[in-house]
């Protein structure tokens, strides 16, 4: 049996699966069998979309397998193979660091497979109601400075909220979910830095609004969770996080769709694109968490 561990920003955690020794299935086939989201298109080594990085985990063991000419050529086009690696592959039958998942056959060795996902696929936004395009939740944005101030407040509140949830979960003994919320809080801090960078880019004068500026008395990305819950699962926590990200997306989407100011619309659309990525990433995390639970069952 070979342990194959997959890792990607598209996944909430690394996933290890088992490959039967002697099975002639490709790495891509193994990934598809276990719902690992390695992107692919032609499945014949001619498009390069299933590029992965392979790390061999067994000390002193590194099984080689000859590269096909089409894989070698595609890796050269992608700039993912050196002359030295080509020589090593041709003379010593030693595989290079990067491979195409559709061409790589799993051998009887433990490997770590890293991939970044499909960076060329068009981003698809979450499903919205018709009302979302014309209703902005009672928040009236008149200037770009005001919009960016609201954006900073949204992202700052989300970070603080997740950090408090992490502390609360740890206090009630739910360490797994506490770590997840700490991770989500870290991502929210990154989103906050991105919002602040936009403020600097557009020379905005930031004046943070109070929570009462929103009709529900709280910023959109806050979830409905407020205290620790020893029984809350990672899946449940991710679904609450998705709830907040969708609300944030709808806030920016509505501003972009209703403002009459061209500059506000332009910047709001930048936030819409970023929030789309956040929502889709959380949805993928949820899918992987559900797949992991099904495997355990």
């Amino acid at each position: 049996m070979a342990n194959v561990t997959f890792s990607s920003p598209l996944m909430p955690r690394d996933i290890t699966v088992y490959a039967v020794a002697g099975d002639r299935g490709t790495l891509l086939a193994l990934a598809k069998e276990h719902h690992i989201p390695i992107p692919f298109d032609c499945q014949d080594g001619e498009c390069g979309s299933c590029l992965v990085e392979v790390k061999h985990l067994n000390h002193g063991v590194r099984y080689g397998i000859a590269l096909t000419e089409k894989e070698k050529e595609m890796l050269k086009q992608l700039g993912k193979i050196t002359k030295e690696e080509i020589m090593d592959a041709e003379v010593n039958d030693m595989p290079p660091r990067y491979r195409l998942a559709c061409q790589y056959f799993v051998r009887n060795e433990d490997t770590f497979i890293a991939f970044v996902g499909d960076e060329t696929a068009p981003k698809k936004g979450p499903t919205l109601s018709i009302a979302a395009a014309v209703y902005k939740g009672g928040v009236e944005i008149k200037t770009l400075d005001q919009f960016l101030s609201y954006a900073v407040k949204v992202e700052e509140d989300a970070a603080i909220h997740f950090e408090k949830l992490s502390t609360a979960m740890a206090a009630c003994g739910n360490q797994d979910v506490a770590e997840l919320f700490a991770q989500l809080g870290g991502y929210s801090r990154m989103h906050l830095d991105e919002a602040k960078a936009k403020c600097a880019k557009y020379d905005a004068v930031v004046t943070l609004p109070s929570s009462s500026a929103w009709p529900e008395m709280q910023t959109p990305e806050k979830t409905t969770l407020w205290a620790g819950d020893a029984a809350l699962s990672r899946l449940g926590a991710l679904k609450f996080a998705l709830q907040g990200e969708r609300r944030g997306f709808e806030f920016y989407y509505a501003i972009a769709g209703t403002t009459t100011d061209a500059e506000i619309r332009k910047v709001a659309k930048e936030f819409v694109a970023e929030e789309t990525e956040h929502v889709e990433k959380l949805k993928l995390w949820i899918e992987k968490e559900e797949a992991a639970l099904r495997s355990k069952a």
Side-chain angles (χ1 to χ4, degrees):
M1 297 285 283
N3 292 333
V4 181
T5 300
F6 293 92
S7 180
S8 170
L10 297 177
M11 299 159 54
R13 60 171 71 179
D14 295 347
I15 302 293
T16 299
V17 302
Y18 304 97
V20 178
D23 186 349
R24 294 295 295 167
T26 64
L27 180 67
L28 180 59
L30 180 68
K32 291 166 67 176
E33 178 185 353
H34 293 277
H35 308 287
I36 306 297
I38 293 179
F40 63 89
D41 190 4
C42 74
Q43 303 184 67
D44 196 31
E46 297 181 347
C47 69
S49 60
C50 63
L51 179 73
V52 298
E53 180 181 0
V54 180
K55 296 181 181 179
H56 302 264
L57 302 180
N58 300 76
H59 295 294
V61 177
R62 188 182 179 197
Y63 292 107
I65 184 166
L67 294 172
T68 63
E69 287 302 315
K70 66 171 63 176
E71 184 179 16
K72 199 181 305 179
E73 179 59 31
M74 179 52 61
L75 289 173
K76 285 196 291 185
Q77 291 181 26
L78 294 171
K80 295 298 184 180
I81 191 170
T82 66
K83 291 181 180 180
E84 291 76 14
E85 285 177 316
I86 292 175
M87 179 67 70
D88 205 20
E90 293 176 342
V91 176
N92 301 316
D93 194 27
M94 284 292 97
R97 175 181 170 188
Y98 289 96
R99 299 299 303 268
L100 300 181
C102 69
Q103 300 294 296
Y104 175 69
F105 289 94
V106 179
R107 304 296 291 270
N108 190 23
E109 61 176 327
D110 294 343
T111 52
F112 182 90
I113 310 297
F115 62 97
V116 297
D118 191 351
E119 298 178 326
T120 62
K123 301 296 188 297
K124 181 181 178 182
T127 303
L128 292 167
S129 65
I130 296 175
V134 297
Y135 175 65
K136 54 183 180 294
V139 174
E140 185 176 2
I141 302 295
K142 296 181 178 179
T143 67
L144 181 60
D145 285 2
Q146 185 185 22
F147 170 70
L148 288 169
S149 295
Y150 272 74
V152 169
K153 178 68 172 178
V154 167
E155 304 302 338
E156 182 179 73
D157 273 15
I160 293 172
H161 181 58
F162 282 130
E163 289 162 357
K164 287 183 177 179
L165 281 172
S166 177
T167 300
M169 292 297 173
C172 71
N174 195 338
Q175 192 59 40
D176 194 27
V177 174
E179 291 174 1
L180 174 62
F181 279 132
Q183 185 179 11
L184 292 171
Y187 284 134
S188 292
R189 288 288 172 188
M190 291 171 56
H191 303 162
L192 174 59
D193 289 342
E194 292 167 0
K196 288 181 176 178
K198 280 188 170 57
C199 293
K201 176 182 177 180
Y202 294 102
D203 295 320
V205 177
V206 177
T207 304
L208 297 184
S210 64
S211 296
S212 60
W214 278 267
E216 296 181 0
M217 305 297 287
Q218 66 179 30
T219 47
E221 289 195 10
K222 280 189 176 181
T223 72
T224 55
L225 284 174
W226 287 100
D229 181 356
L232 183 65
S233 65
R234 280 179 56 90
L235 179 59
L238 285 169
K239 288 183 176 181
F240 277 113
L242 178 60
Q243 174 195 76
E245 286 296 339
R246 285 182 62 89
R247 282 161 52 93
F249 170 85
E250 292 187 358
F251 170 71
Y252 293 124
Y253 181 89
I255 296 297
T258 58
T259 183
T260 58
D261 186 299
E263 191 172 26
I264 294 176
R265 182 182 305 109
K266 172 180 174 293
V267 180
K269 285 183 176 180
E270 294 176 8
F271 278 92
V272 167
E274 292 169 1
E275 289 297 320
T276 296
E277 293 181 358
H278 303 164
V279 169
E280 292 304 308
K281 180 172 288 188
L282 273 173
K283 287 167 67 176
L284 283 170
W285 282 27
I286 288 171
E287 289 176 6
K288 294 310 303 177
E289 194 69 25
E290 289 174 336
L293 291 173
R294 285 196 297 270
S295 296
K296 288 181 181 179

